[in-house]
Amino acid sequence: MRGSFEVENGPSPGRSPPDPQASPGLVLLPGGPPGQRRESFLYRSDSDYDASPKSMSRNSSIASEAHAEDLIVTPFAQVLASLRSVRSNFSILANVPTPTSSKRSPIGSQPPLCKATLSEETSQQLARETLEELDWCLDQLETLQTHRAVSEMASNKFKRMLNRELTHLSEMSRSGNQVSEYISSTFLDKQHEVEIPAPGPKEREKKRRQPPPMGQISGVKKLPPGSSPGGSSVPRFGVKTDREELLGKELDNLNKWGLNIFRVSEYSNNRSLSCIMYTIFQERELVKTFRIPVETLLTYTLTLEDHYHADVAYHNSLHAADVMQSTHVLLATPALDAVFTDLEILAALFAAAIHDVDHPGVSNQFLINTNSELALMYNDESVLENHHLAVGFKLLQEENCDIFQNLSKRQRQTLRKMVIDMVLATDMSKHMSLLADLKTMVETKKVTSSGVLLLDNYTDRIQVLRNMVHCADLSNPTKPLALYRQWTERIMEEFFRQGDRERERGMEISPMCDKHTASVEKSQVGFIDYIVHPLWETWADLVHPDAQEILETLEENRDWYHSRVPHSPSPPPRPPPPPPPQHRFHFDLTLEEDEEGQEPRAGGAPPPCDPPRAPPPTLRHPPGAAPRETPRGGGGGGRAERTRGGGTRSGSGDPPTL
């Protein structure tokens, strides 16, 4: 099986001849000591989200095993961990020795316990806990829907947890509500329902002049004259530039995280994607392995880059070049050394290069809400992602653009399938499902095996590759701050342009697209806390310890934006209440006199025999009526946060203040 898989996918670099008894694998190493780094909301105590009273024991069920520092949070892995615990406890209670060769023996080198060494009370307690564990497992399995993947259990749980976090965030302030709506509508696969106004005369006239391009792929155009490479000499980095030396110095960092892609664009005459794609294909010897004609590669890269819109602020060829270079670095991470074949590497890099081609600078939901031709063509499902794929593959049919011309038919089919899977995974509404799939896979393998993730089938391999490209697509907050800030300015500019178009059409403005109300700093903190951090945290678990510096940069950038979140405007100060009366009995006497029918003097003046005094504060502000100031970041009060070691940290479990 593996041999045939290798033949179709091409040899993997640095791998010895295929061993029919072996499979490509990834060693899963335990994470660092608890408390070293802030954990994402996925590690909140389950009791904050799960109704099951036994949810806490799910977390502690593996505390006696080798992964004591890792908290298992995906439901299916929790079930497996509990069953392992039940098995271990049974062997103790029944005094049955566990074979050392059993694959289900507890992971680790702890000495086995014997029932004879346990007191009667301890033995009874262990039996009760074992029965409770087994009952909980049965409850989970009885409610499991057989037609759904087990990773959906995690996806539903994570969505529920995120909804809880976003509800709390939206209650904190108006800007918090806008950030919450943006994250919910973008990353939770929720349709943002709006009332679509009737098209105006100009729009109706425009549609009459431009017949719908149904039945053909829109956006494909011919390469402008003079753009195609000519002559016998091939530029060193695939693009013509008079600053080749400066470009070369920047590309010395091609294999490093945090390459300054903005300088690459400057030194390559705004041909960053062509430059990066050509250089990476040469660096990895893909040109030689798959016999790609150099002139064909140059023609395709230039044609592809020309189909990215230069007037789109963020989703342009610069972003595609950045994602491709980031994918290139992630493929080279030591933990994944020699795991993927050359064909899989080619597919991942090609997917990154085309993943946003012909992006119009608006969201899927905008296209759906405006009844665009693309939304009609793709039935509102991953509209842009389907279009990017169609354009990327269609360009291969242009003259001298087929870079895959020397692949076998089977290789082309396999590559196309992988590329489609990876580009569709860049639809941000699929984010939580992707995250749940990866986390379930990693945690399940940690619980059920000796810490080796066997990537010996297409499903597991493509799952890692899809998440890799997704991570690269969401890598801006993990880059050096100077680069991250430039990306933030660009994405907000694109959002605001969409908001302006929605305002002109009389539509409801999408979350974070209103330039008059959006909080840039708070949006980035929320984006990191609820989307980027959980994803990269899971990726770091997969490739530990290779991504630790990336996590550190992410946390530093998050803190930088958090320190610049503008404070919510305070309500206007109320006049201070008057001082309380000196003698309570005097206030009571006044009430009694009023009740006895004494006529009040004009203007409410006190009798001349009494000294003037202010009315008591209880008349101005009855007890409990004065509004109280709510501390910033409050609202969750007193959640116990679960550590990776199974313990708790006292204090609020709410997300950091935005």
Side-chain angles (χ1 to χ4, degrees), residues 279-338:
T279 306
I280 288 177
F281 272 46
Q282 292 286 8
E283 172 95 4
R284 288 184 168 273
E285 297 187 344
L286 297 175
V287 173
K288 178 181 178 181
T289 302
F290 295 103
R291 294 178 293 143
I292 303 173
V294 172
E295 185 178 344
T296 302
L297 177 61
L298 291 172
T299 303
Y300 182 81
T301 58
L302 293 171
T303 304
L304 177 66
E305 185 149 28
D306 281 335
H307 281 76
Y308 278 90
H309 298 190
D311 58 345
V312 170
Y314 181 86
H315 291 101
N316 50 38
S317 63
L318 192 63
H319 168 66
D322 182 59
V323 173
M324 186 180 187
Q325 189 267 338
S326 298
T327 301
H328 166 67
V329 176
L330 293 177
L331 282 165
T333 190
L336 297 175
D337 181 43

Side-chain angles (χ1 to χ4, degrees), residues 145-217:
Q145 294 174 297
T146 55
H147 64 286
R148 297 186 182 275
V150 293
S151 61
E152 243 181 88
M153 298 167 66
S155 178
N156 292 335
K157 174 184 175 181
F158 292 171
K159 289 177 181 177
R160 186 171 69 251
M161 296 170 76
L162 180 56
N163 273 321
R164 182 76 62 88
E165 296 286 336
L166 296 180
T167 298
H168 172 62
L169 174 62
S170 66
E171 293 171 349
M172 293 172 63
S173 65
R174 181 182 299 178
S175 58
N177 181 62
Q178 190 170 120
V179 173
S180 174
E181 287 184 3
Y182 163 70
I183 293 175
S184 178
S185 62
T186 305
F187 299 97
L188 284 180
D189 204 9
K190 292 184 177 180
Q191 299 299 312
H192 189 56
E193 296 180 1
V194 297
E195 185 175 337
I196 304 173
K202 290 183 178 179
E203 292 170 359
R204 284 196 294 266
E205 178 64 24
K206 184 178 179 182
K207 286 197 172 185
R208 278 196 294 268
R209 290 198 308 266
Q210 296 179 349
M214 302 298 285
Q216 67 180 22
I217 300 172

Side-chain angles (χ1 to χ4, degrees), residues 565-570 632:
V565 172
H567 295 285
S568 299
S570 302
R632 287 185 79 242

Side-chain angles (χ1 to χ4, degrees), residues 51 237 313 484 541:
F237 302 113
Y484 176 27
D541 282 344

